Amino acid sequence: MTAQPATIRVGIIGTGVMGADHASLLDSSVSGAVVSAVADADAERAAGVAKGLAAARVVLDPLELIAADDVDAVLVASADQTHEAFVLACLRAGKPVLCEKPLAPTEAAARRMLDAERALGAGTVNVGFMRRFDPGYVELKEIIDGGVIGVPLVVHCVHRNASSQHGATAADVVTGSVIHEIDAARWLLGEEIVAVRSHAPHRRGQAESAVGPVLVTLEAASGTVVAIEAFVNATYGYDVRCEVVGDRGTVALDPVGPTATMLGGQRRQPIAADWRPRFSEAYRLELQNWVTALRSGTLSSAASAWDGYVATLVAERAVESLATGQRVAVITPPS
Ligand SMILES: NC(=O)c1ccc[n+]([C@@H]2O[C@H](COP(=O)([O-])OP(=O)(O)OC[C@H]3O[C@@H](n4cnc5c(N)ncnc54)[C@H](O)[C@@H]3O)[C@@H](O)[C@H]2O)c1
């Protein structure tokens, strides 16, 4: 990688929930970066986000944004199915790109992106699996890697959202939410997933108004099992949990939040409405890491295109398993 200018001028494609959040973090809380351009299929939304930034202009065509002279690097935060076209355009333009998860909705698309990156030189695509930067997950990994809890045997993961988009299916829960756990498991354990099994339980004879909990089990190469419950209509708020059980002890993310109030005979603790407050520091640290690496011409420690590809591959097998509830082997090609 070649070093980039002292201030990285970032172009953002997609100014919805995540794009707007990233834009604000890049402009206000990340050193060495400025958002120079934003694009969105909804031009009014892009203009609204640009208005709150120091020096961003609105570009109507995302491909024009990628090619622009005042854009050194691109952040893709548009809808999942648009990632491939934009990432490939960045690679062709020789511009580094941080793409929100998932890298792509299908293994075939993710493979095309990985192959394009390899054909054009490594290290230009990163994927927004921000848990790798969350202080809690980082500490979990340090404790596991330090051998403190012994050999990891089981990982329990819970991923709950208050409500999902209308019409979301169990497959969407896997490709949109469980994929975070898939990447976190590979990263925490430092090994590949060799098989998956999925299940979407429902009460017999009862019509469901929205998708319920989805259970996915991952088998790691060493035999460690990762048990995931993803429930995107949990109603009460956003809740992510992770506990790793080793043969000498366990380590878990601390639940919910930093403070609790004792009042009127009750212990109360606020629960975030969505993922932004829970992972705000992780997003900031991820963006800072990406920008710092670009400035110094080194590789970012954010998830790579390979990590993005493998997570999509495992998610695709987990979706396959939903149909039968049977174990499906995951054959990861050599990296
Ligand atoms: N890392 C995380 O924690 C996290 C959390 C939520 C979403 N995401 C991912 O971030 C991405 C954006 O999600 P979101 O919640 O912000 O969605 P969103 O619907 O709020 O925003 C997506 C934006 O992309 C725009 N868009 C769609 N197609 C486009 C196109 N062809 N050209 C330009 N703009 C286009 C839409 O108009 C919209 O403004 C998705 O890939 C999603 O999976 C990641």
Side-chain angles (χ1 to χ4, degrees), residues 13-20 22 39-42 45 60 62 76-83 86 100-102 128-130 165 176 180 238 275 279 283 286:
I13 301 173
T15 52
V17 174
M18 290 308 295
H22 286 322
D40 195 290
D42 180 336
R45 189 175 295 162
L60 292 179
V76 173
S78 47
D80 298 356
Q81 67 275 14
T82 66
H83 292 181
F86 296 145
E100 258 307 340
K101 56 53 60 178
F129 284 122
M130 76 298 182
Q165 279 181 346
H180 274 296
Y238 185 72
W275 52 90
F279 284 111
Y283 294 127
E286 173 184 75

Side-chain angles (χ1 to χ4, degrees), residues 40-245:
D40 195 290
D42 180 336
E44 255 178 60
R45 189 175 295 162
V49 168
K51 210 184 275 178
L53 301 170
R57 64 191 179 97
V58 176
V59 181
L60 292 179
D61 179 358
L63 297 180
E64 200 183 301
L65 176 147
I66 292 167
D69 287 341
D70 64 351
V71 169
D72 304 312
V74 178
L75 195 158
V76 173
S78 47
D80 298 356
Q81 67 275 14
T82 66
H83 292 181
E84 180 183 4
F86 296 145
V87 168
L88 291 179
C90 290
L91 287 169
R92 283 193 288 269
K95 295 199 178 169
V97 53
L98 174 60
C99 178
E100 258 307 340
K101 56 53 60 178
L103 180 60
T106 65
E107 182 208 346
R111 181 81 233 184
R112 287 192 289 271
M113 295 155 89
L114 181 65
D115 289 345
E117 190 207 44
R118 287 182 172 179
L120 294 160
T124 49
V125 179
N126 288 108
V127 183
F129 284 122
M130 76 298 182
R131 292 185 188 191
R132 293 173 177 237
F133 294 91
D134 176 68
Y137 275 94
V138 168
E139 208 171 306
L140 276 191
K141 183 162 173 61
E142 282 168 6
I143 288 169
I144 297 167
D145 290 350
V148 177
I149 58 161
V151 179
L153 299 172
V154 175
V155 185
H156 296 282
C157 303
V158 168
H159 183 146
R160 298 191 188 130
N161 295 69
S163 61
S164 66
Q165 279 181 346
H166 183 66
T169 63
D172 297 330
V173 174
V174 173
T175 54
S177 300
V178 171
I179 199 158
H180 274 296
E181 268 66 30
I182 293 171
D183 180 68
R186 290 183 64 241
W187 173 73
L188 282 173
L189 298 172
E191 55 179 326
E192 292 302 354
I193 305 304
V194 295
V196 294
R197 176 176 286 199
S198 311
H199 190 52
H202 61 274
R203 299 280 288 230
R204 279 178 238 304
Q206 224 174 39
E208 279 165 356
S209 54
V211 64
V214 174
L215 306 175
V216 177
T217 308
L218 312 176
E219 282 174 44
S222 66
T224 303
V225 171
V226 183
I228 303 161
E229 177 220 298
F231 184 17
V232 296
N233 288 298
T235 70
Y236 67 84
Y238 185 72
D239 186 6
V240 161
R241 306 179 199 173
C242 181
E243 180 175 23
V244 185
V245 180

